[in-house]
Amino acid sequence: MMSYIKDLFNLFRKHYVENVKFYSLLALQIFGVPLLLAVLSRSAVNAVTISLSLICLSMLLVVHFSVKDMRSRYTYMLANTLPVSLGVRYGFILLNSTVVLLVGFVALYLPSLGLSCWLFPIGESFEWVLDTAFFHNYTVFVNVLATHALILIVNVLVRKRPIVGYVLAALAMAAVSFYVRKNVDFEYRDAVMMWIYIVTIVASWIGCYFLLRKFQYKG
């Protein structure tokens, strides 16, 4: 176990040293975009409503940078000959794109939101908008993780033209949502969609490990 943690820590250190510019820009984006929108619109409401789009975009970028060395033909051989197991690699990918990202996002976004609300207080008529922030609503949080699951699948399966993969994944989820709306009673729709999201998350997180192992052995 200690060997696994040590290898995982070293992989994190290597990754962040090599991509320090990207993560610095991402941190600036997470903190700066909500505040900039609030200043430009002179309303903190926009700083709140941007949270879901901002976390999803950040997640897409972090997953891409976490996986790209293992799927790019230019870095594949080097990345897959590092003296770490696939379990360590996959542990890094999952932790970096979920736990580390979410903690970092909250740490950067909340001060930006707090400053925005201090500069431009949200009136009582708009207090409902705070519920749209992903960390205030567990259903939205599950939606975010389901989005991560789809992004991860695309990054593992699609080595060229990932945009096409994202479009197909979005169309697939839209089709599932449409089917549920048409065939499930209104009072059960949210529960059914929640279970679909949970199954998607579990299937993706488990399945992508075996997909990466398959690609690693095929070379």
Side-chain angles (χ1 to χ4, degrees):
M1 184 63 181
M2 290 304 298
S3 176
Y4 181 90
I5 295 174
K6 181 180 178 181
D7 289 344
L8 188 62
F9 174 79
N10 288 333
L11 195 54
F12 265 100
R13 182 173 59 182
K14 173 182 180 296
H15 177 77
Y16 277 84
V17 168
E18 293 176 348
N19 298 283
V20 62
K21 184 180 294 186
F22 161 72
Y23 285 102
S24 297
L25 291 174
L26 181 62
L28 181 62
Q29 169 190 289
I30 294 171
F31 179 83
V33 169
L35 184 58
L36 179 62
L37 288 176
V39 171
L40 291 177
S41 63
R42 304 191 64 80
S43 171
V45 170
N46 291 325
V48 180
T49 55
I50 194 65
S51 65
L52 185 58
S53 298
L54 191 58
I55 184 60
C56 289
L57 175 61
S58 301
M59 194 165 275
L60 186 151
L61 293 173
V62 172
V63 171
H64 173 76
F65 269 82
S66 299
V67 178
K68 70 170 186 173
D69 287 348
M70 297 184 67
R71 64 184 182 85
S72 171
R73 64 177 180 175
Y74 301 106
T75 57
Y76 181 87
M77 291 301 298
L78 178 61
N80 285 278
T81 53
L82 291 174
V84 294
S85 67
L86 181 61
V88 172
R89 300 176 201 274
Y90 191 59
F92 159 75
I93 292 170
L94 273 187
L95 289 174
N96 192 49
S97 59
T98 55
V99 177
V100 175
L101 171 61
L102 291 173
V103 171
F105 185 89
V106 171
L108 291 164
Y109 172 74
L110 285 184
S112 179
L113 178 61
L115 184 56
S116 299
C117 290
W118 178 72
L119 291 172
F120 310 103
I122 295 178
E124 292 183 4
S125 59
F126 287 100
E127 285 185 352
W128 58 269
V129 80
L130 292 173
D131 291 333
T132 63
F134 80 95
F135 45 80
H136 281 181
N137 189 322
Y138 82 94
T139 59
V140 178
F141 184 73
V142 173
N143 289 347
V144 168
L145 292 182
T147 301
H148 169 272
L150 293 176
I151 293 171
L152 183 61
I153 291 173
V154 171
N155 275 269
V156 170
L157 285 178
V158 183
R159 300 195 177 191
K160 296 180 180 178
R161 299 184 180 88
I163 293 178
V164 176
Y166 294 136
V167 171
L168 292 176
L171 289 175
M173 288 306 296
V176 170
S177 179
F178 177 79
Y179 178 84
V180 170
R181 288 200 308 270
K182 287 294 185 179
N183 296 278
V184 177
D185 292 337
F186 178 79
E187 60 268 27
Y188 301 117
R189 288 176 189 171
D190 289 344
V192 170
M193 286 304 302
M194 185 60 57
W195 278 109
I196 290 174
Y197 291 147
I198 292 172
V199 170
T200 300
I201 294 166
V202 174
S204 171
W205 288 2
I206 294 175
C208 283
Y209 170 81
F210 294 100
L211 287 173
L212 279 176
R213 186 172 68 174
K214 176 183 177 183
F215 293 149
Q216 184 182 46
Y217 290 154
K218 287 175 68 175

